[in-house]
Each structure stands twice: as structure tokens, then as C-alpha cells.
Amino acid sequence: MKPSLSTEIKYLKGVGPKRAEALNSVGIHTFADLLDYFPRKYIDRANMMKIEDIKVGDQVTIIGQVEDFNLKSNRKGFGGRFELMLTDDTGRLQLVWFQGAQWVKNAFEVGETIAVYGKVDQFGYFKQIAHPEVDRLDSEESDNFIHTGALIPLYPSTEFLRRMSLESRGFRKLIYPILDMTSEFQETLSPEIILAHQLLPLSAALRQIHQPITQQNRLKAEERIKFEELFYLQLMMAIRKKSIQSPKGIPFTERVTKTKTLLAKLPFELTAAQKKVIREIYNDMLLPRPMNRLVQGDVGSGKTIVAVIAILLAVENGYQTAFMAPTEILAEQHYFVLQELLWELGVRIALIKGGQKKSERESILEDIRTHQVDIVIGTHAIFQERVEFEKLGFVVIDEQHRFGVMQRAEIRQKAVAKGFHPDVLVMTATPIPRTLAMAIYGDLDISIIGEMPVGRKPIKTAVRNEGAREKIYAFLREQVTAGRQIYIVYPLIEESEKIDLKAAKEAFEELQTKIYPDLRIGLLHGKMKSAEKQDIMAKLKKHELDILVSTTVIEVGINIPNASVMLIEHAERFGLSQLHQLRGRVGRGSDQSYCILMVGKKFLMEHTEIRLNVMEETTDGFQIAEEDLKLRGPGEFLGTKQSGLPELKLANIIWDKDLMALARTSAFDLIEKDPQLRAPQNSMIKEKFERLFREKIFLGDVS
């Protein structure tokens, strides 16, 4: 029987059961999946160099033959370095590996043709590349490449794939014979969209992505595939936004008696940015459709008071509010702040948390059910089936990136079950670059508080290593003597054998017994019981502690204006955005505040120069977030994988922001014209969308 795109990959010539298992491990199960496995880069004849032409310091690509190689063991008889001599018709180039030498020695054969990439150094008589990137080529590939100038694709691989000889060369051998099958792929974009953006047809794009003749062909193929990935991502956002807006929402009336009373007693003036965002929220709440708005604001920009003013509008209209926080510490912090602000206004607030007595919890649940409570604050506990609201009209979700999109929908269902479609306000103190915001929050309207309260002094930040520890400890004592309080943050709770880090518990003991035996020191970490955490935070707030040793549980929500210094141990282990979040726990009073980033010696050059200097140079969270996103990518940047987001194989939401904007406009325009994709010309789009997001969202929800 003639194979088709749906044929299992084990039946492709040259695969078999063992190789099929390796291919399955990276999501390749059929012929179609193999053609959908894209190159990571290409060898380009235009950028090739001969060995005699390379210079020290150049980043080069060289094709040559393996002349010889040997493993040189160190004095103890193992490890050492692996040296390989590469030749072309103009000279010789030494390749060297210091790490993994024992494994590398089995990877080459004398006489084989390889392509190598890396930075050129000089070692003795030879030019040298240390730890080059290597790709093996067939001799016929090399000849064809050198004589015709064609591009050779290089494919991503894994150790499992490499053991099955499925490096780039192996993939090319499997893919090239079935390239004619690209014509069997069903088109997944409408003729109108293809024409409007001058995109290649899918079949042509797939052929050109695997076997491009020129760079222009490759770029056009990549543009088509990237656009499609971003288009379907934005289509999901457009449909989700339409489905949220479709039901009739709550048209709140602008009642501000309690708000005016609150504003009159605040010891500060709202910034112009806060006032602007409040008006944007009010405008949404007054409309007869559900609000779905994200408020971004840097640490200390005053998001909480903005949320409180929005909550008061809901309360004065007779509706309840659910206020969700990612940690119990932050939930408790919000509870105490809101109690202090609103108790004189007669607003009733309840806190749901772990460790509450059964009788206390039952009483709170009954008060929520009978509307004896206006605001319910808690963590994921609010999701519990037994938490039943009488009239939920407003939802606030703090630190949105800690929750998935499905959880956002889940809390909304608490109100929908009673016939209400609540307004939803989500907040984050993690500044999110516009490109990433379009990708993960494309269904939300976005407001930005881009201004800090008057009187805040920029936090002075410094990167230091172990050699400065004594001076740092002396500086901390000076600050305590002056009446200030200190945070010392560690990445782990207990000592790990695999990662040589000082743990918070061990550091606490050393600080208390050896460094500062005369000072009051507390310890806070995530494994403590709720009552213990609350007790520590109460002592810190009352200035019964001079120093708090903590893990990253203090990353969000802690507000101690008297805290003026934060020392972050092993700062190289944190992302820039998390460091910025931690730093935001100080600088909340009128005194000059400081953040000291302590790094290990072996990390000093690499991490200080590339990453941590950004922390010294700026306190602008959006600038820091841009750098963090470039360095770590969106998945690691967010910390929590967002539910329902498709995998992007080629598109990059950082570098392809212009293409993202085009795809967004196209997707949102399409859903505005054809919400359920019923038009015949959109049938292929509907089919692929339902295949991608079968369990995520339903077109039937859109009208």
C-alpha cells in the first residue's frame, strides 16, 4: 500500500522500531510529523570560510575532513581533553574539548566530512576552536554544497536520537525522499489571508524549509510557517475574548460614596498613572459586558489601591468580590491591608486559608453564601466547591502569571453558576514586554501604571562576591544600628547535595550564633505552618526583628517600609525579573534603600557581565523584563506554563514581534467578521483550530 502523510513513521525506509521509538520521543509519529520537524539553522555557502582565511576572534563556519584525533588524559588518568585536527585544501584547524572528552572521542571517524562552528583562538602553532558546534555531512552533500552554494539544514537532536544516528545528517536522509509528499498537506490558511500577506502556500513552504535553494526561499518559507503559528495563537485569543464578551455582563452604576471617604483619609495622593488606570477600569465596569483587564505595574507602583477602588464600586453596587493571591503570605497581607483601609467604611472582609479550624471555616463559608461578606480573600482555596457566593460580581487575581488561563475561567464560573458574568481584574508586578503580553494575555485589555509614587528613592543595587562578605556584614550592622531592618534571601530551604548552596536554615543558625548574636533574627520559608509565618510577619511589622532570613516566599506582597536593605545570596541562580521582584520588597519608605546581589566566584565573570549588571544599571522593570525574556525565553521567564498555549516551533515572540502584530490583526478581524468560522473560505481554519484547541475553547461559545 502506498504510504501517506498519516503512515506511522516506523514504516519509513531507514527507520524501523528502534529509530521509531527515538523519533516518537520528540513527537514524530507519522510522515507528516517528520515533515513538520523543522531545521534549527542552516549551513550557508555565503558565510563559509577557508581555514587559511580565518582570524583569531572570528565566529566562523568551516567544512573540512577529519585528519586525526586523540584523547589526552590528565595526570590522574581520566578526563583530560580531546583534540581533533580538521583540514581543508588550504590548511589545518585544531578542535578541542575539555568537557565530555571521553564521550566526544567516540563521535568521529578519520576521513569523514564535518561542518564546525565556533570562535577562533590561537594555541601554539595552530588556530583553534574550543567546544565547537559540529554537524556531520555526507561526502556527496558536501560536494553538492561546495559546488552549488545550496543551504544545508541542521536539525535539533537529543542524546537518544544521536545514539540512533539521528543527527542532522540522519534527518536529512529520512526527509529528502518524502519531500514530494508536501503536496498532500491540506492548506490551513484561507486564500484571502495568503493573498493579503503574500504568503507561500503551505506545501511550497514545507518543501523550501527543508531544501531551500536560496536564503530568500528559506526566509519566505519561515515567514509562512511563523505567521501560521502566531495566527492560530492569536485566533485562540480572539475567540476567547469574543466568548467572554458575548454574555451580558453587569452594568455597574458609578457610586463612589465609600471611595471618596477612602481617598480623603489616604496619607498620599494618587499618581496620574493610577488615576488613568482607575478611569479605564471604571469605563469597563459601567458597560453591559464582562470586563477582562490586566493591570501591569512595577513593584511599589500602587496596584493594590487601584484594585481596592475598583472593588468598592462593586461593593456599592451590592456585589461580592473574590480576591485571589498566589501564596498565603500574600493573601494575609492583602487581608490586613484591606481591613485597615475599609473597616471604617463598613466593608466586610473574610480570609480563607489553610489551618483554619473547622468551625471557623464553616462560619466563613456560611457568611459568604448568605452575603454577610463583601470581599473574600484567599489562594486556590477559593476554587473549592464548597465556596459558594451569593452574588459574585467582581474578581481580582493578583500575580496573574502564577495562575493559568483555565484557573481564571474557573473562578469566573463561581458567578456564572448563579446567573452573573463578573468583571475580572488581573494584576501583575512582573512587567511583561508587549510582545509576550500579546502572546499570553491577548484576550485581555491591558492597563499600565507606569509611574512610581512621589518621594520614592531609587534603590541602589550592587553585585558583589564572597571577597566582600565582611564589608557587607559590617554595612548591614550599620543599617540596623540606624534603626533599619534587613532581608537576607536564599534560594533553597535545606542543603542540597547536588547544588552547593547555603540553605536558609543553615544561614539563619550561623547569623544568629556567630555573626549577629546580639541582634533579633527571624526565619521564614514555605514549609512553615501558616500560624508560624503569620507570627514572623507580625514581629517584622512591629520591628521586633532586625533581620529576616527568608526563601523567595517574600517575593511578592511583603510591605515593610522600614526595611532598607536586601541581601540576595546566590543571585546567579535567579532570573532578572525575580531579582527585580525581590528587590521591590525594599525602598518602600522615605529612606535610601539598597539591594546587594551576592554571587559565587565561578559565576562572577559570566553572570555579572551578561545579566546582573542590568540590575545595577536600571530599576525600570520593563527594561529588565525585556532583557530577562531575551536571555531565558518565555517559558522560564513566566515560571508557570500557561494553560492552553500552543507550542511555537519556529516563531519567536521576542524577535518576530512585527509578524505577531500582523497575525493578531488578521485573527481578530476574522473573528469580528465570522465569529464561528462558518464561512466556506474559513473551513480549513476552523478544522485546524478545533484540532489544535479541541479541549481548550469551543467555537459554539462565540456569537
Side-chain angles (χ1 to χ4, degrees):
M1 186 173 71
K2 184 181 177 181
S4 68
L5 289 174
S6 60
T7 301
E8 288 184 55
I9 198 66
K10 66 183 178 182
Y11 296 115
L12 178 62
K13 183 179 179 181
V15 177
K18 289 283 188 183
R19 276 187 155 190
E21 185 183 352
L23 291 167
N24 290 169
S25 70
V26 292
I28 300 174
H29 300 276
T30 65
F31 284 25
D33 293 336
L34 182 60
L35 291 172
D36 214 29
Y37 192 76
F38 302 130
R40 57 185 170 83
K41 63 188 291 186
Y42 298 81
I43 303 174
D44 181 3
R45 178 70 178 88
N47 293 325
M48 286 290 301
M49 295 187 71
K50 292 291 188 179
I51 292 174
E52 70 174 358
D53 297 325
I54 63 177
K55 297 181 178 62
V56 173
D58 287 347
Q59 288 278 357
V60 299
T61 300
I62 300 286
I63 284 184
Q65 288 71 47
V66 177
E67 182 180 89
D68 61 33
F69 51 79
N70 63 86
L71 177 66
K72 295 189 175 181
S73 299
N74 61 21
R75 293 176 182 177
K76 294 182 180 179
F78 58 88
R81 68 182 188 274
F82 178 75
E83 296 177 351
L84 181 149
M85 192 62 69
L86 188 72
T87 66
D88 67 7
D89 56 0
T90 69
R92 305 167 85 209
L93 173 69
Q94 188 179 64
L95 310 179
V96 61
W97 286 261
F98 299 102
Q99 297 172 2
Q102 290 279 0
W103 179 83
V104 177
K105 72 181 177 66
N106 299 315
F108 300 99
E109 297 175 6
V110 171
E112 74 170 317
T113 302
I114 61 174
V116 300
Y117 332 89
K119 184 177 180 180
V120 181
D121 290 313
Q122 185 80 34
F123 184 76
Y125 294 106
F126 295 106
K127 290 187 177 69
Q128 181 187 85
I129 298 178
H131 290 278
E133 187 176 347
V134 177
D135 188 67
R136 303 172 73 181
L137 305 175
D138 283 327
S139 57
E140 59 266 27
E141 275 188 324
S142 175
D143 291 341
N144 179 65
F145 172 74
I146 290 170
H147 294 303
T148 67
L151 299 169
I152 295 183
L154 306 180
Y155 292 87
S157 191
T158 65
E159 186 177 346
F160 189 9
L161 289 168
R162 284 191 289 270
R163 287 204 306 267
M164 296 292 110
S165 298
L166 287 172
E167 298 169 306
S168 291
R169 179 172 60 175
F171 273 107
R172 290 191 293 269
K173 283 184 174 180
L174 296 181
I175 290 172
Y176 285 176
I178 64 170
L179 279 179
D180 286 341
M181 297 180 73
T182 56
S183 60
E184 296 178 28
F185 273 87
Q186 182 182 344
E187 186 53 72
T188 50
L189 293 176
S190 66
E192 289 81 1
I193 291 175
I194 291 173
L195 183 61
H197 298 287
Q198 297 183 309
L199 300 171
L200 286 178
L202 180 60
S203 58
L206 287 171
R207 176 177 279 279
Q208 289 296 334
I209 203 79
H210 291 294
Q211 201 173 45
I213 298 171
T214 66
Q215 282 285 14
Q216 186 178 5
N217 292 139
R218 176 186 69 81
L219 291 172
K220 287 295 289 182
E222 286 185 354
E223 179 188 33
R224 159 59 205 248
I225 293 167
K226 287 178 178 181
F227 180 91
E228 179 169 328
E229 290 182 337
L230 296 170
F231 172 80
Y232 279 96
L233 171 61
Q234 290 302 316
L235 192 66
M236 179 184 70
M237 296 298 174
I239 290 173
R240 183 181 289 146
K241 186 167 187 175
K242 192 77 172 175
S243 68
I244 291 167
Q245 291 180 340
S246 295
K248 184 175 175 60
I250 302 167
F252 291 99
T253 303
E254 191 161 351
R255 297 170 182 165
V256 293
T257 303
K258 294 182 186 298
T259 301
K260 286 181 177 178
T261 304
L262 172 64
L263 291 175
K265 75 170 189 173
L266 289 178
F268 54 83
E269 278 282 328
L270 295 180
T271 64
Q274 287 173 310
K275 292 175 182 177
K276 178 177 178 289
V277 171
I278 289 167
R279 177 43 57 189
E280 289 171 349
I281 294 169
Y282 267 29
N283 289 342
D284 278 356
M285 293 180 72
L286 299 178
L287 293 174
R289 61 169 176 76
M291 176 179 77
N292 211 32
R293 183 168 289 276
L294 169 68
V295 173
Q296 289 194 69
D298 217 337
V299 284
S301 62
K303 295 180 301 302
T304 302
I305 192 65
V306 168
V308 168
I309 290 170
I311 289 168
L312 281 178
L313 182 59
V315 170
E316 292 204 62
N317 276 266
Y319 288 89
Q320 292 170 290
T321 292
F323 196 133
M324 288 176 50
T327 65
E328 280 197 356
I329 287 180
L330 182 52
E332 289 170 352
Q333 182 82 18
H334 282 315
Y335 175 73
F336 293 129
V337 169
L338 266 64
Q339 281 281 40
E340 187 176 336
L341 289 171
L342 303 179
W343 73 272
E344 289 182 353
L345 302 178
V347 178
R348 302 159 297 181
I349 307 172
L351 174 66
I352 296 179
K353 64 176 184 176
Q356 289 174 321
K357 293 180 181 179
K358 184 177 180 181
S359 58
E360 182 185 4
R361 173 64 66 91
E362 291 296 328
S363 176
I364 292 172
L365 292 176
E366 178 63 16
D367 286 345
I368 296 169
R369 190 182 66 79
T370 58
H371 204 157
Q372 300 304 306
V373 167
D374 300 304
I375 304 170
V376 181
I377 301 174
T379 59
H380 295 78
I382 298 180
F383 289 143
Q384 293 176 1
E385 288 183 14
R386 298 190 61 225
V387 180
E388 181 184 339
F389 291 85
E390 194 267 337
K391 200 176 181 182
L392 179 60
F394 197 68
V395 175
V396 178
I397 303 176
D398 198 11
E399 289 306 314
Q400 161 64 22
H401 69 287
R402 302 290 188 90
F403 298 96
V405 291
M406 304 309 287
Q407 290 170 310
R408 214 195 305 158
E410 195 173 341
I411 188 63
R412 187 185 288 111
Q413 285 302 118
K414 291 281 185 183
V416 173
K418 290 293 186 74
F420 302 107
H421 292 277
D423 284 0
V424 178
L425 179 69
V426 296
M427 304 191 298
T428 181
T430 302
I432 301 171
R434 177 171 171 75
T435 50
L436 183 57
M438 275 198 296
I440 63 173
Y441 301 132
D443 58 329
L444 301 176
D445 296 309
I446 297 177
S447 293
I448 296 175
I449 304 177
E451 183 182 1
M452 298 298 283
V454 177
R456 291 277 177 91
K457 296 179 181 178
I459 301 164
K460 292 183 179 180
T461 303
V463 180
R464 297 289 184 265
N465 65 7
E466 285 294 325
R469 187 169 290 279
E470 285 190 20
K471 287 184 178 180
I472 290 169
Y473 282 160
F475 175 69
L476 298 188
R477 182 175 286 281
E478 288 174 10
Q479 289 288 304
V480 171
T481 302
R484 309 289 171 251
Q485 290 167 282
I486 313 293
Y487 296 116
I488 300 179
V489 182
Y490 284 81
L492 290 182
I493 295 173
E494 294 174 348
E495 188 68 45
S496 168
E497 292 179 358
K498 294 182 179 179
I499 306 174
D500 185 22
L501 300 176
K502 287 184 178 178
K505 285 182 178 179
E506 182 183 301
F508 168 72
E509 294 293 338
E510 183 180 359
L511 287 164
Q512 185 71 88
T513 58
K514 297 179 181 178
I515 312 298
Y516 303 121
D518 55 322
L519 300 183
R520 302 166 298 176
I521 304 177
L523 174 65
L524 183 69
H525 60 76
K527 291 186 178 180
M528 294 170 68
K529 293 180 179 178
S530 179
E532 293 176 304
K533 294 178 192 173
Q534 194 170 332
D535 180 57
I536 289 291
M537 292 310 302
K539 286 181 178 178
L540 192 67
K541 198 165 188 177
K542 294 175 185 176
H543 202 164
E544 294 176 4
L545 293 176
D546 301 306
I547 298 175
L548 178 66
V549 178
S550 174
T551 59
T552 55
V553 292
I554 67 160
E555 181 183 346
V556 292
I558 306 302
N559 185 19
I560 308 295
N562 192 51
S564 64
V565 183
M566 173 169 285
L567 170 61
I568 302 177
E569 297 281 359
H570 303 288
E572 72 276 358
R573 301 285 182 182
F574 297 88
L576 295 180
S577 291
Q578 190 176 25
L579 289 173
H580 182 62
Q581 285 283 306
L582 288 165
R583 176 169 64 181
R585 297 309 106 205
V586 296
R588 291 175 168 258
S590 57
D591 299 304
Q592 179 62 58
S593 291
Y594 306 86
C595 180
I596 302 167
L597 305 177
M598 183 71 79
V599 296
K601 289 181 181 178
K602 67 178 180 178
F603 290 101
L604 187 59
M605 290 302 293
E606 176 187 355
H607 287 265
T608 298
E609 291 181 2
I610 297 175
R611 300 196 310 125
L612 298 185
N613 278 349
V614 176
M615 298 294 297
E616 291 183 312
E617 293 164 4
T618 182
T619 56
D620 183 335
F622 283 93
Q623 184 179 338
I624 290 167
E626 284 280 5
E627 291 299 318
D628 205 16
L629 185 58
K630 289 175 185 176
L631 288 165
R632 298 197 295 151
E636 197 180 335
F637 174 90
L638 289 166
T640 301
K641 187 175 180 181
Q642 296 293 305
S643 302
L645 292 184
E647 176 190 1
L648 299 177
K649 295 181 179 179
L650 274 189
N652 184 303
I653 61 177
I654 306 165
W655 309 118
D656 297 320
K657 58 184 178 183
D658 292 339
L659 204 57
M660 168 88 83
L662 289 175
R664 178 177 175 79
T665 299
S666 187
F668 275 73
D669 285 350
L670 177 62
I671 294 305
E672 195 59 39
K673 295 173 185 174
D674 186 11
Q676 293 184 333
L677 300 177
R678 288 174 172 164
Q681 67 269 26
N682 296 325
S683 60
M684 72 288 291
I685 294 176
K686 181 176 182 178
E687 183 179 333
K688 175 159 184 178
F689 180 83
E690 290 180 338
R691 191 166 66 247
L692 282 173
F693 305 108
R694 185 166 288 124
E695 297 179 359
K696 304 292 189 277
I697 194 168
F698 299 96
L699 288 166
D701 294 339
V702 184
S703 59

